[in-house]
Amino acid sequence: MMLSDVMEDYLKAIYQLQRETDERIKTSAIAEELDVTSPTVTSMLDKLEERGFVDREKYRGVTLTDEGETVALEVVRHHRLLEAYLTEHLDYDWAEVHEEADRLEHHISEDFEARVADALGQPTVDPHGSPIPSADLEPPERPDGKSVTEFEEGDVVVVEEVADRDADVLSYLADHGVEPGVELEIVEVAPFGMITARSSEHDESVSLPDAVAHHVRVARGAEVEQ
């Protein structure tokens, strides 16, 4: 029996949350990720547990079973390949592609997926720097990058990944040259939750409020010459 689009969305959400922590995923975290109520999540988890896609422990949350992870990886692969294809071949802005890929990811065939991957040259990351699971659905390694909020003034970092869930944040970052592969120098870390960085792409400073900065994962770069 096939899974519904909503079931696949839940498995994908749990997978993405698991990539950010080593702990079980709480109902409240899933509700926030999918913008639904906790009772709605509980009801869906009942169905997913019954079908063997999640492992639940009372009061501790859930993890994906091997079968659940395989389904999630396939949906994630579809989603990120579609984002790359829409960006590279259909001139979509990287801030637009997430919602479009969300609509399409459940409905493409394996043949279509393979053709898209070939047309793109078998990419390993999507336009936002997120790893694309391989065709054999092996989980990609968890990136080493950290939130840019974890660095200090004077640090030089390279953007590895930008969360794709907020189009307004993506547009803001793109307008200021904060994209995967771009080097940033942390100029100032204000005590009230504001980071000022200089982008090598635009050679100008950009202000990153906490709500924006938490979307940006980076790795340490070369030291700036004084």
Side-chain angles (χ1 to χ4, degrees):
M1 182 178 175
M2 293 181 62
L3 285 163
S4 68
D5 293 356
V6 175
M7 286 181 172
E8 290 184 348
D9 285 339
Y10 270 78
L11 294 174
K12 182 177 73 169
I14 296 168
Y15 168 80
Q16 290 171 330
L17 290 167
Q18 283 185 177
R19 297 278 290 176
E20 299 168 2
T21 179
D22 293 323
E23 299 178 359
R24 286 176 170 269
I25 308 305
K26 300 292 182 63
T27 298
S28 57
I30 301 170
E32 182 177 356
E33 179 76 9
L34 294 173
D35 194 24
V36 296
T37 65
S38 290
T40 299
V41 174
T42 299
S43 176
M44 178 56 72
L45 292 179
D46 287 341
K47 297 174 185 177
L48 293 173
E49 182 181 29
E50 183 179 338
R51 297 185 61 172
F53 293 115
V54 298
D55 176 75
R56 295 168 80 183
E57 287 189 19
K58 195 171 184 179
Y59 306 122
R60 294 192 60 216
V62 303
T63 59
L64 294 176
T65 62
D66 289 344
E67 187 176 2
E69 183 178 63
T70 297
V71 173
L73 285 166
E74 183 171 30
V75 178
V76 169
R77 176 171 169 80
H78 288 179
H79 182 96
R80 294 177 179 172
L81 284 172
L82 286 164
E83 286 192 333
Y85 188 82
L86 291 167
T87 303
E88 290 191 27
H89 291 278
L90 298 182
D91 295 326
Y92 275 72
D93 185 270
W94 79 331
E96 302 175 292
V97 292
H98 178 68
E99 290 187 5
E100 197 71 62
D102 266 346
R103 287 188 284 268
L104 296 170
E105 65 191 13
H106 307 288
H107 308 294
I108 66 172
S109 68
E110 298 311 300
D111 181 60
F112 184 87
E113 173 207 306
R115 291 181 184 224
V116 167
D118 284 340
L120 294 168
Q122 301 296 332
T124 57
V125 294
D126 72 7
H128 310 101
S130 300
I132 299 174
S134 62
D136 59 8
L137 302 181
E138 285 295 319
E141 291 185 12
R142 186 179 295 178
D144 293 329
K146 301 177 181 179
S147 168
V148 70
T149 59
E150 298 186 34
F151 290 83
E152 301 176 349
E153 293 177 8
D155 286 342
V156 178
V157 297
V158 176
V159 179
E160 288 195 336
E161 183 178 0
V162 177
D164 65 357
R165 301 177 186 94
D166 191 316
D168 290 336
V169 169
L170 286 172
S171 294
Y172 179 84
L173 293 173
D175 287 345
H176 292 83
V178 181
E179 301 174 351
V182 167
E183 189 175 79
L184 300 175
E185 177 193 355
I186 309 301
V187 177
E188 181 181 8
V189 179
F192 51 82
M194 176 75 75
I195 293 173
T196 302
R198 181 174 292 107
S199 164
S200 63
E201 184 74 10
H202 287 189
D203 193 26
E204 63 180 28
S205 294
V206 54
S207 296
L208 301 174
D210 261 357
V212 173
H214 281 292
H215 288 257
V216 182
R217 297 188 69 81
V218 300
R220 189 176 295 278
E223 296 296 327
V224 172
E225 293 184 7
Q226 301 296 324

